[in-house]
Amino acid sequence: MGPEDLKLDVSEDLSLNCLFCRQDDARLNQISHRNATCFARLDNFPASEGHTEIVPKRHVESFFDLTPEELQDAFALILAVRTDLTRRLRPEGWTIGVNEGRAAGRSIDHLHIHVIPRRFGDVENPAGGIRQILPNCDPETWRAATTQALQKGSGVLR
């Protein structure tokens, strides 16, 4: 018997081992919204109250591999979640993001888009937003460089 004789049911394997492929398991996923290709679930370890993840129903790792329909449905759920959380929690801002790849911090190999309600004071200094994940984050340097570039009228800001 050779490798060609081994048949793997990938969808069955994924449904057993992937948190997001087990969307109907209420112990793992608290679903708030669904549409044809995606669902919204509350994050199990929320960064803030209302932290929600938009997840394609199809097992796909990369944002860049979503179909046009999945992209449209994901965006529709982002808007629906924003509407509901705005009414319920009245956040003062939002962080919306994807950890694309292990190097970017992805811990589950099934795409999920974070929708995180934010408030003034939830972190000491929110300036720079997600840029603070990298060590060269210095919003004051950016502010000074931007001001200088605008005053000089230079076309390139680097």
Side-chain angles (χ1 to χ4, degrees):
M1 179 161 94
E4 65 278 357
D5 297 318
L6 297 174
K7 301 276 189 209
L8 291 177
D9 184 347
V10 174
S11 62
E12 183 179 327
D13 186 46
L14 291 176
S15 68
L16 294 175
N17 297 314
C18 177
L19 168 72
F20 299 141
C21 286
R22 295 172 61 181
Q23 66 177 287
D24 294 323
D25 186 337
R27 295 172 304 127
L28 301 174
N29 294 293
Q30 188 176 347
I31 308 292
S32 63
H33 300 78
R34 295 179 197 263
N35 59 26
T37 67
C38 298
F39 63 96
R41 65 180 295 278
L42 296 180
D43 190 287
N44 291 342
F45 303 98
S48 72
E49 183 181 3
H51 179 171
T52 301
E53 297 165 326
I54 309 303
V55 182
K57 293 176 181 177
R58 176 175 69 97
H59 186 91
V60 58
E61 287 185 22
S62 176
F63 179 84
F64 301 107
D65 291 335
L66 290 177
T67 66
E69 182 183 11
E70 288 168 330
L71 280 168
Q72 186 174 13
D73 284 355
F75 185 67
L77 288 181
I78 289 169
L79 295 178
V81 165
R82 180 198 63 177
T83 297
D84 289 350
L85 293 178
T86 296
R87 183 175 48 249
R88 190 165 54 88
L89 302 175
R90 306 222 184 277
E92 297 166 309
W94 300 91
T95 296
I96 302 167
V98 174
N99 296 324
E100 180 64 36
R102 290 285 174 156
R106 182 182 67 215
S107 57
I108 298 173
D109 293 326
H110 185 140
L111 173 67
H112 48 290
I113 304 166
H114 295 268
V115 180
I116 305 170
R118 300 294 303 272
R119 298 195 174 283
F120 286 110
D122 63 4
V123 296
E124 187 176 325
N125 180 5
I130 62 168
R131 294 174 185 261
Q132 293 186 44
I133 62 174
L134 297 173
N136 65 343
C137 175
D138 183 3
E140 291 306 316
T141 300
W142 305 334
R143 191 172 293 112
T146 301
T147 300
Q148 183 179 22
L150 290 172
Q151 290 171 349
K152 290 182 179 179
S154 97
V156 178
L157 179 60
R158 294 259 180 212

CSV table of all heavy atoms in Angstrom, one decimal, residues 73-104:
chain,number,residue,atom,x,y,z
A,73,ASP,N,-19.3,39.2,3.0
A,73,ASP,CA,-20.0,38.8,4.2
A,73,ASP,C,-19.3,39.1,5.5
A,73,ASP,O,-19.9,39.5,6.5
A,73,ASP,CB,-20.3,37.2,4.1
A,73,ASP,CG,-21.4,36.9,3.2
A,73,ASP,OD1,-22.1,37.8,2.6
A,73,ASP,OD2,-21.6,35.7,2.9
A,74,ALA,N,-18.0,39.0,5.5
A,74,ALA,CA,-17.2,39.4,6.6
A,74,ALA,C,-17.4,40.8,7.0
A,74,ALA,O,-17.6,41.2,8.1
A,74,ALA,CB,-15.7,39.0,6.4
A,75,PHE,N,-17.3,41.7,5.9
A,75,PHE,CA,-17.5,43.1,6.2
A,75,PHE,C,-18.9,43.4,6.7
A,75,PHE,O,-19.1,44.2,7.6
A,75,PHE,CB,-17.2,43.9,4.9
A,75,PHE,CG,-17.3,45.4,5.1
A,75,PHE,CD1,-16.3,46.0,5.9
A,75,PHE,CD2,-18.3,46.1,4.5
A,75,PHE,CE1,-16.4,47.4,6.1
A,75,PHE,CE2,-18.4,47.5,4.7
A,75,PHE,CZ,-17.4,48.2,5.5
A,76,ALA,N,-19.9,42.7,6.1
A,76,ALA,CA,-21.3,42.9,6.6
A,76,ALA,C,-21.4,42.6,8.1
A,76,ALA,O,-22.1,43.3,8.9
A,76,ALA,CB,-22.3,42.1,5.8
A,77,LEU,N,-20.7,41.5,8.5
A,77,LEU,CA,-20.7,41.1,10.0
A,77,LEU,C,-20.0,42.1,10.8
A,77,LEU,O,-20.4,42.4,12.0
A,77,LEU,CB,-20.2,39.7,10.2
A,77,LEU,CG,-21.1,38.6,9.7
A,77,LEU,CD1,-20.5,37.2,10.0
A,77,LEU,CD2,-22.5,38.7,10.3
A,78,ILE,N,-18.9,42.7,10.3
A,78,ILE,CA,-18.1,43.7,11.0
A,78,ILE,C,-19.1,44.9,11.3
A,78,ILE,O,-19.2,45.4,12.4
A,78,ILE,CB,-16.9,44.2,10.3
A,78,ILE,CG1,-15.8,43.1,10.3
A,78,ILE,CG2,-16.3,45.5,10.9
A,78,ILE,CD1,-14.6,43.3,9.4
A,79,LEU,N,-19.8,45.3,10.3
A,79,LEU,CA,-20.8,46.4,10.5
A,79,LEU,C,-21.9,46.0,11.4
A,79,LEU,O,-22.3,46.9,12.3
A,79,LEU,CB,-21.4,46.8,9.1
A,79,LEU,CG,-20.4,47.4,8.1
A,79,LEU,CD1,-21.0,47.7,6.8
A,79,LEU,CD2,-19.7,48.6,8.7
A,80,ALA,N,-22.4,44.8,11.3
A,80,ALA,CA,-23.5,44.4,12.2
A,80,ALA,C,-23.0,44.4,13.7
A,80,ALA,O,-23.8,44.8,14.6
A,80,ALA,CB,-24.1,43.0,11.8
A,81,VAL,N,-21.9,43.8,13.9
A,81,VAL,CA,-21.3,43.8,15.3
A,81,VAL,C,-21.1,45.2,15.8
A,81,VAL,O,-21.4,45.5,16.9
A,81,VAL,CB,-20.0,43.0,15.3
A,81,VAL,CG1,-19.2,43.2,16.5
A,81,VAL,CG2,-20.3,41.5,15.1
A,82,ARG,N,-20.5,46.1,14.9
A,82,ARG,CA,-20.3,47.4,15.4
A,82,ARG,C,-21.6,48.1,15.8
A,82,ARG,O,-21.7,48.8,16.8
A,82,ARG,CB,-19.7,48.3,14.2
A,82,ARG,CG,-19.5,49.7,14.7
A,82,ARG,CD,-19.2,50.6,13.5
A,82,ARG,NE,-20.4,50.7,12.7
A,82,ARG,CZ,-20.6,51.5,11.7
A,82,ARG,NH1,-19.6,52.2,11.3
A,82,ARG,NH2,-21.7,51.4,11.0
A,83,THR,N,-22.7,47.9,15.0
A,83,THR,CA,-24.0,48.5,15.3
A,83,THR,C,-24.5,48.0,16.7
A,83,THR,O,-24.9,48.8,17.5
A,83,THR,CB,-25.0,48.1,14.2
A,83,THR,OG1,-24.6,48.7,13.0
A,83,THR,CG2,-26.4,48.6,14.6
A,84,ASP,N,-24.4,46.7,16.9
A,84,ASP,CA,-24.9,46.1,18.1
A,84,ASP,C,-24.1,46.5,19.3
A,84,ASP,O,-24.6,46.9,20.4
A,84,ASP,CB,-25.0,44.6,18.1
A,84,ASP,CG,-26.1,44.1,17.1
A,84,ASP,OD1,-26.9,44.9,16.7
A,84,ASP,OD2,-26.1,42.9,16.8
A,85,LEU,N,-22.8,46.5,19.2
A,85,LEU,CA,-21.9,46.8,20.3
A,85,LEU,C,-22.0,48.3,20.6
A,85,LEU,O,-21.9,48.7,21.8
A,85,LEU,CB,-20.5,46.4,20.1
A,85,LEU,CG,-20.3,44.9,20.1
A,85,LEU,CD1,-18.8,44.5,19.8
A,85,LEU,CD2,-20.7,44.2,21.4
A,86,THR,N,-22.1,49.1,19.6
A,86,THR,CA,-22.3,50.6,19.8
A,86,THR,C,-23.5,50.9,20.6
A,86,THR,O,-23.5,51.7,21.6
A,86,THR,CB,-22.3,51.3,18.5
A,86,THR,OG1,-21.1,51.2,17.8
A,86,THR,CG2,-22.6,52.8,18.7
A,87,ARG,N,-24.6,50.2,20.3
A,87,ARG,CA,-25.9,50.4,21.0
A,87,ARG,C,-25.7,49.9,22.5
A,87,ARG,O,-26.2,50.6,23.4
A,87,ARG,CB,-27.0,49.7,20.3
A,87,ARG,CG,-28.4,49.9,20.9
A,87,ARG,CD,-29.5,49.3,20.1
A,87,ARG,NE,-29.3,47.9,19.7
A,87,ARG,CZ,-29.1,47.5,18.4
A,87,ARG,NH1,-29.1,48.4,17.4
A,87,ARG,NH2,-28.9,46.2,18.2
A,88,ARG,N,-25.1,48.8,22.6
A,88,ARG,CA,-25.0,48.2,24.0
A,88,ARG,C,-23.9,48.8,24.8
A,88,ARG,O,-24.1,49.0,26.0
A,88,ARG,CB,-24.8,46.7,23.8
A,88,ARG,CG,-24.9,45.9,25.1
A,88,ARG,CD,-25.1,44.4,24.8
A,88,ARG,NE,-24.1,43.8,24.0
A,88,ARG,CZ,-22.9,43.3,24.5
A,88,ARG,NH1,-22.7,43.4,25.8
A,88,ARG,NH2,-22.1,42.7,23.7
A,89,LEU,N,-22.7,49.0,24.3
A,89,LEU,CA,-21.5,49.4,25.1
A,89,LEU,C,-21.1,50.8,24.9
A,89,LEU,O,-20.3,51.3,25.7
A,89,LEU,CB,-20.4,48.4,24.7
A,89,LEU,CG,-20.6,46.9,25.0
A,89,LEU,CD1,-19.4,46.1,24.5
A,89,LEU,CD2,-20.9,46.7,26.4
A,90,ARG,N,-21.5,51.4,23.8
A,90,ARG,CA,-21.1,52.8,23.5
A,90,ARG,C,-19.5,53.0,23.6
A,90,ARG,O,-19.1,53.9,24.3
A,90,ARG,CB,-21.8,53.8,24.5
A,90,ARG,CG,-23.3,53.7,24.5
A,90,ARG,CD,-24.0,55.0,24.5
A,90,ARG,NE,-25.4,54.9,24.6
A,90,ARG,CZ,-26.2,54.7,23.5
A,90,ARG,NH1,-25.7,54.5,22.4
A,90,ARG,NH2,-27.5,54.6,23.7
A,91,PRO,N,-18.8,52.2,22.8
A,91,PRO,CA,-17.3,52.4,22.8
A,91,PRO,C,-16.9,53.8,22.2
A,91,PRO,O,-17.7,54.4,21.4
A,91,PRO,CB,-16.8,51.3,22.0
A,91,PRO,CG,-18.0,50.9,21.1
A,91,PRO,CD,-19.2,51.2,21.9
A,92,GLU,N,-15.7,54.2,22.5
A,92,GLU,CA,-15.2,55.5,22.0
A,92,GLU,C,-14.3,55.3,20.8
A,92,GLU,O,-13.9,56.2,20.2
A,92,GLU,CB,-14.5,56.2,23.1
A,92,GLU,CG,-15.4,56.5,24.3
A,92,GLU,CD,-14.7,56.9,25.5
A,92,GLU,OE1,-13.8,56.2,25.9
A,92,GLU,OE2,-15.0,58.0,26.1
A,93,GLY,N,-14.0,54.0,20.5
A,93,GLY,CA,-13.2,53.7,19.3
A,93,GLY,C,-13.2,52.2,19.1
A,93,GLY,O,-13.8,51.4,19.8
A,94,TRP,N,-12.4,51.8,18.0
A,94,TRP,CA,-12.4,50.4,17.6
A,94,TRP,C,-11.0,50.0,17.2
A,94,TRP,O,-10.3,50.8,16.6
A,94,TRP,CB,-13.3,50.1,16.4
A,94,TRP,CG,-14.7,50.5,16.7
A,94,TRP,CD1,-15.4,51.7,16.5
A,94,TRP,CD2,-15.7,49.6,17.3
A,94,TRP,NE1,-16.7,51.6,16.9
A,94,TRP,CE2,-16.9,50.3,17.4
A,94,TRP,CE3,-15.7,48.3,17.7
A,94,TRP,CZ2,-18.1,49.8,17.9
A,94,TRP,CZ3,-16.9,47.7,18.2
A,94,TRP,CH2,-18.0,48.5,18.3
A,95,THR,N,-10.6,48.8,17.5
A,95,THR,CA,-9.5,48.2,16.8
A,95,THR,C,-10.0,47.0,16.0
A,95,THR,O,-10.7,46.1,16.6
A,95,THR,CB,-8.4,47.7,17.9
A,95,THR,OG1,-7.9,48.9,18.5
A,95,THR,CG2,-7.3,47.0,17.2
A,96,ILE,N,-9.7,47.0,14.8
A,96,ILE,CA,-10.2,45.9,13.9
A,96,ILE,C,-8.9,45.3,13.2
A,96,ILE,O,-8.1,46.1,12.6
A,96,ILE,CB,-11.1,46.4,12.8
A,96,ILE,CG1,-12.3,47.1,13.5
A,96,ILE,CG2,-11.6,45.3,11.8
A,96,ILE,CD1,-13.2,47.9,12.5
A,97,GLY,N,-8.7,44.0,13.3
A,97,GLY,CA,-7.4,43.5,12.8
A,97,GLY,C,-7.4,42.0,12.6
A,97,GLY,O,-8.2,41.3,13.1
A,98,VAL,N,-6.4,41.6,11.9
A,98,VAL,CA,-6.1,40.2,11.6
A,98,VAL,C,-4.6,39.9,11.9
A,98,VAL,O,-3.7,40.7,11.5
A,98,VAL,CB,-6.3,39.9,10.1
A,98,VAL,CG1,-5.9,38.5,9.7
A,98,VAL,CG2,-7.8,40.2,9.7
A,99,ASN,N,-4.4,38.9,12.6
A,99,ASN,CA,-3.0,38.4,12.8
A,99,ASN,C,-2.7,37.4,11.7
A,99,ASN,O,-3.1,36.3,11.7
A,99,ASN,CB,-2.8,37.7,14.2
A,99,ASN,CG,-3.1,38.7,15.3
A,99,ASN,OD1,-2.7,39.9,15.2
A,99,ASN,ND2,-3.7,38.2,16.4
A,100,GLU,N,-2.2,37.9,10.6
A,100,GLU,CA,-2.0,37.2,9.3
A,100,GLU,C,-0.7,36.4,9.4
A,100,GLU,O,0.4,36.9,9.1
A,100,GLU,CB,-2.0,38.1,8.1
A,100,GLU,CG,-1.8,37.5,6.8
A,100,GLU,CD,-2.9,36.5,6.4
A,100,GLU,OE1,-4.1,36.8,6.7
A,100,GLU,OE2,-2.6,35.5,5.8
A,101,GLY,N,-0.7,35.1,9.8
A,101,GLY,CA,0.4,34.3,9.9
A,101,GLY,C,0.9,34.2,11.4
A,101,GLY,O,0.7,35.0,12.2
A,102,ARG,N,1.7,33.1,11.6
A,102,ARG,CA,2.3,32.9,13.0
A,102,ARG,C,3.2,34.0,13.4
A,102,ARG,O,3.2,34.4,14.5
A,102,ARG,CB,3.0,31.5,13.0
A,102,ARG,CG,2.0,30.3,12.9
A,102,ARG,CD,1.3,30.1,14.2
A,102,ARG,NE,0.3,29.1,14.1
A,102,ARG,CZ,-0.1,28.4,15.2
A,102,ARG,NH1,0.4,28.6,16.4
A,102,ARG,NH2,-1.0,27.5,15.0
A,103,ALA,N,4.0,34.6,12.4
A,103,ALA,CA,4.9,35.6,12.8
A,103,ALA,C,4.2,36.9,13.2
A,103,ALA,O,4.7,37.7,14.0
A,103,ALA,CB,5.8,36.0,11.6
A,104,ALA,N,2.9,37.0,12.8
A,104,ALA,CA,2.1,38.2,13.2
A,104,ALA,C,1.3,37.9,14.5
A,104,ALA,O,0.6,38.8,15.0
A,104,ALA,CB,1.2,38.6,12.1
